[in-house]
Amino acid sequence: MKEKKTIAEYIGGYRRYLQLERGFGTNTIDAYMRDVDKLVQYFASEHLEPLEAKLDNLQQFAANLHDMGIGPRSQSRILSGVRSFYRYLLLDEYIDDDPTELLEFPQLGEHLPEVLTTEEVDRLEETVDLSKWEGHRNRAIIEVLFSCGLRVSELVGLKLSNLFLDQQFMRITGKGAKERLVPISPRAIKELQLWFDDRCHMTIKRGEEDYVFLNRRGAHLTRTMILIMVKRLAAEAGIEKTISPHTLRHSFATVLLEGGADLRAIQAMLGHERIGTTEIYTHIDTTTLRREILEHHPRNK
């Protein structure tokens, strides 16, 4: 075992590990650090040292998360971050055994993400007020999210220099700074070109010139701005589902699967590291199939 350090030094080393060895982006690293911070604060209140933790101490920490009213899915995410921290400590030989190895996570019921039909996406786009300066921008945002299956963080970071409209694809930098090529549909290209006609008349902030989507002050958009816009359009379009920009990514994958696309191809386009993450859409397709059978099979009428 290596020489003992302060907890701040261990945490600093963990942050560097996530950044340099795991290749995680800033938002992902911040989420992992918040998980570790919860653990450190809990152990401080119990006068325990995180490096001396045993399985029962971590089980008590998990029980405390439940007592605080944190839901099972959020509990699992926090415990996953804690497990990652201890695996780092084991890897760098600061501890001899991983106390999280037998730590049980809360049971999660199957959660299928909300999706929109193509007709509902069309209603979203038709609701956009094209008389406003941001009209074509908002139409292009909806279409790119739905046609290309981007994460909202990938959309706000999209650069002009990564668009190859003549070849009908874009280069995306996703989680862990991993790059992938994503096809752009003719419809998305058309909406982008209409937005570019408006964009070229804008005064753009220095340093923001390469961003595709800008606000009225000429700076790139934030994820919150996109969320507010999508929710407002959904309300105006009379769509009662609880949706977010990520719903359009789910919808992209679902319509591809229903159209017969191979699951591995969908995985590549979404930028999922594991096929298991993509397999959630097979459950959605099964749910859709069951509903269609119940509605249309003569034995169910």
Side-chain angles (χ1 to χ4, degrees):
M1 188 182 297
K2 289 185 178 179
E3 180 185 348
K4 289 189 69 173
K5 298 182 176 181
T6 65
I7 189 62
E9 288 174 317
Y10 290 120
I11 291 173
Y14 178 53
R15 177 182 281 277
R16 289 190 292 275
Y17 162 77
L18 294 175
Q19 181 180 16
L20 301 176
E21 296 192 38
R22 299 297 302 275
F24 290 157
T26 302
N27 293 332
T28 303
I29 292 172
D30 288 345
Y32 275 94
M33 301 312 293
R34 286 193 295 270
D35 297 335
V36 173
D37 187 55
K38 287 182 175 66
L39 178 78
V40 171
Q41 288 185 30
Y42 170 76
F43 278 174
S45 70
E46 297 291 320
H47 306 291
L48 294 169
E49 288 292 332
L51 266 69
E52 297 171 3
K54 305 298 181 187
L55 176 60
D56 61 334
N57 301 132
L58 291 165
Q59 288 171 333
Q60 290 165 11
F61 170 67
N64 182 66
L65 295 176
H66 178 269
D67 293 343
M68 290 169 62
I70 297 174
R73 195 164 296 278
S74 294
Q75 289 177 43
S76 289
R77 184 190 54 73
I78 293 167
L79 294 177
S80 178
V82 167
R83 175 173 284 173
S84 170
F85 176 59
Y86 278 102
R87 286 180 175 170
Y88 154 73
L89 294 174
L90 182 67
L91 185 68
D92 269 22
E93 300 179 350
Y94 292 118
I95 57 176
D96 293 325
D97 299 292
D98 180 2
T100 68
E101 190 172 2
L102 299 177
L103 182 62
E104 293 185 358
F105 284 40
Q107 293 294 314
L108 301 178
E110 186 178 84
H111 173 69
L112 300 182
E114 194 78 82
V115 295
L116 296 175
T117 65
T118 303
E119 291 73 19
E120 287 172 325
V121 176
D122 288 341
R123 277 164 55 193
L124 274 184
E125 293 183 358
E126 289 162 4
T127 302
V128 174
D129 185 351
L130 294 181
S131 68
K132 294 183 177 179
W133 79 269
E134 73 271 24
H136 286 300
R137 182 202 69 183
N138 291 352
R139 280 269 288 262
I141 287 171
I142 298 296
E143 188 58 41
V144 168
L145 286 171
F146 178 61
S147 293
C148 304
L150 303 190
R151 299 177 178 95
V152 67
S153 57
E154 295 167 348
L155 181 101
V156 298
L158 188 61
K159 304 284 185 69
L160 294 172
S161 54
N162 287 328
L163 292 181
F164 304 91
L165 299 186
D166 290 343
Q167 290 78 33
Q168 297 189 329
F169 74 88
M170 61 177 71
R171 183 169 55 231
I172 297 298
T173 302
K175 287 187 175 181
K178 292 183 178 177
E179 289 191 349
R180 68 186 191 276
L181 298 178
V182 177
I184 314 177
S185 69
R187 172 77 171 266
I189 290 173
K190 176 186 173 186
E191 297 296 347
L192 281 168
Q193 288 171 333
L194 289 170
W195 157 235
F196 292 154
D197 289 342
D198 295 336
R199 186 185 181 282
C200 67
H201 298 296
M202 294 181 65
T203 301
I204 300 174
K205 272 189 167 182
R206 188 174 180 180
E208 305 281 295
E209 297 89 353
D210 199 25
Y211 285 99
V212 172
F213 296 110
L214 305 170
N215 61 27
R216 65 174 62 246
R217 293 180 298 277
H220 70 278
L221 297 176
T222 65
R223 293 182 295 176
T224 302
M225 291 175 184
I226 305 290
L227 174 64
I228 292 170
M229 183 266 287
V230 168
K231 284 188 171 292
R232 178 178 55 77
L233 287 176
E236 291 174 2
I239 296 171
E240 296 181 357
K241 296 174 180 177
T242 302
I243 73 166
S244 70
H246 213 65
T247 307
L248 291 157
R249 176 170 160 88
H250 292 315
S251 306
F252 162 84
T254 303
V255 296
L256 283 180
L257 187 68
E258 290 174 349
D262 179 75
L263 200 62
R264 290 285 179 185
I266 298 173
Q267 177 192 9
M269 284 186 281
L270 291 173
H272 285 162
E273 188 171 341
R274 297 183 302 108
I275 191 66
T277 309
T278 316
E279 283 174 345
I280 182 67
Y281 299 106
T282 64
H283 298 306
I284 297 173
D285 195 41
T286 302
T287 302
T288 304
L289 178 61
R290 180 178 180 276
R291 185 174 63 245
E292 291 296 311
I293 291 172
L294 289 175
E295 287 182 4
H296 301 294
H297 195 284
R299 289 289 185 260
N300 295 312
K301 292 184 178 179

